[in-house]
Amino acid sequence: MLDCACGIGTQALGLAALGYRVTGSDLSPAAVSRAAKEAASRGIGLRVAAADMTQLPFREASFDVVVCADNSLPHLLTPEAVVAALGEMRRVLRPGGVLLLSTRPYDRLRRERPGSTPPQMREGADGRVVTFQLWHWQPDGERYDLEHFQLRPGASAESGAEGEGETGERWGVRTRRTSYWALSQAQIVEFTARAGLREPVWHEPDESGFFQPVLVVRRPEAVAKVTGHDHI
């Protein structure tokens, strides 16, 4: 299996722990290095590579399954980039191989156009960590710019912002900015077809148990060549 946007190993580590032979790739060298360290600390075999999903450094027909999960494909903001990435996923799949792709539920989100996500809090080694997002929708109604905020008590404020609550507790604020293309399910199916992938089937969270909608598509089986002697 190839997880072509593995990040720090969220899906790749779990799949490898189940016994699959997994390779993880990601655009970020730091992320794949973290994934490799996490795998080693768990005694899990995981090969990793820093790679752009639009130019995968693997031979054709190398994998039975390719995974592109956790809303990774919508980082690509043009049809050309999306088709290039899907074409690479098809290329490295063996004939009959499966691509599993998950995104946010953008059909609904494009109707609702949320401006933010609810704050989430978790207890970390250094105390409470609060995260939330602000979404700035572009005029086309499909793309949006995302600001991710992380608040840590007593942490240094990397963004230059630091606040003090009523109790005098100081909070450090870390921000990250990126952009997404809120691809509808119909758009994704169209792009997979243009890339040569077939048999699309969407699985919703209440059916699959996964937290995002999952698309399953296949690289077509190889077609046997017919020679002049192969006739009835």
Side-chain angles (χ1 to χ4, degrees):
M1 304 182 72
L2 169 67
D3 183 348
C4 70
C6 70
I8 63 173
T10 305
Q11 309 301 334
L13 291 170
L15 291 166
L18 290 172
Y20 294 100
R21 289 179 294 160
V22 182
T23 297
S25 66
D26 196 275
L27 187 62
S28 167
V32 295
S33 177
R34 168 76 181 277
K37 291 178 181 177
E38 294 289 344
S41 70
R42 292 165 169 79
I44 296 171
L46 176 66
R47 297 182 300 170
V48 299
D52 185 335
M53 71 171 74
T54 66
Q55 295 178 309
L56 294 172
F58 308 109
R59 296 191 305 272
E60 181 166 352
S62 297
F63 301 97
D64 298 301
V65 178
V66 173
V67 176
C68 182
D70 298 337
N71 206 52
S72 297
L73 188 70
H75 277 291
L76 305 177
L77 302 178
T78 66
E80 294 78 14
V82 171
V83 173
L86 292 169
E88 281 292 275
M89 296 175 207
R90 178 194 182 279
R91 181 183 65 79
V92 301
L93 276 172
R94 297 189 176 108
V98 172
L99 167 63
L100 304 174
L101 188 155
S102 80
T103 69
R104 286 180 166 138
Y106 280 131
D107 289 69
R108 173 174 58 82
L109 294 173
R110 279 167 58 162
R111 295 192 300 270
E112 298 175 354
R113 294 170 64 89
S116 64
T117 62
Q120 295 182 323
M121 192 274 289
R122 63 176 175 84
E123 292 287 345
D126 300 323
R128 293 170 297 168
V129 179
V130 179
T131 60
F132 63 92
Q133 300 174 2
L134 300 181
W135 293 17
H136 308 281
W137 290 88
Q138 297 181 13
D140 66 5
E142 296 188 2
R143 294 165 180 83
Y144 62 99
D145 304 312
L146 181 149
E147 292 180 285
H148 181 274
F149 291 82
Q150 185 179 80
L151 284 69
R152 292 175 176 267
S156 62
E158 293 188 5
S159 66
E162 190 171 285
E164 186 172 316
E166 293 181 2
T167 63
E169 185 177 26
R170 301 187 70 83
W171 289 79
V173 182
R174 178 180 298 174
T175 60
R176 176 173 57 86
R177 295 175 176 85
T178 189
S179 297
Y180 287 99
W181 186 3
L183 292 162
S184 70
Q185 292 187 358
Q187 285 175 310
I188 295 175
V189 168
E190 177 188 348
F191 288 138
T192 58
R194 286 169 57 179
L197 294 156
R198 300 290 183 265
E199 302 178 45
V201 178
W202 281 99
H203 299 273
E204 297 299 326
D206 59 354
E207 173 192 357
S208 68
F210 193 66
F211 76 108
Q212 291 179 340
V214 177
L215 176 65
V216 179
V217 285
R218 293 180 179 275
R219 176 173 176 169
E221 295 279 0
V223 178
K225 294 183 179 180
V226 179
T227 69
H229 298 289
D230 297 327
H231 59 84
I232 298 175

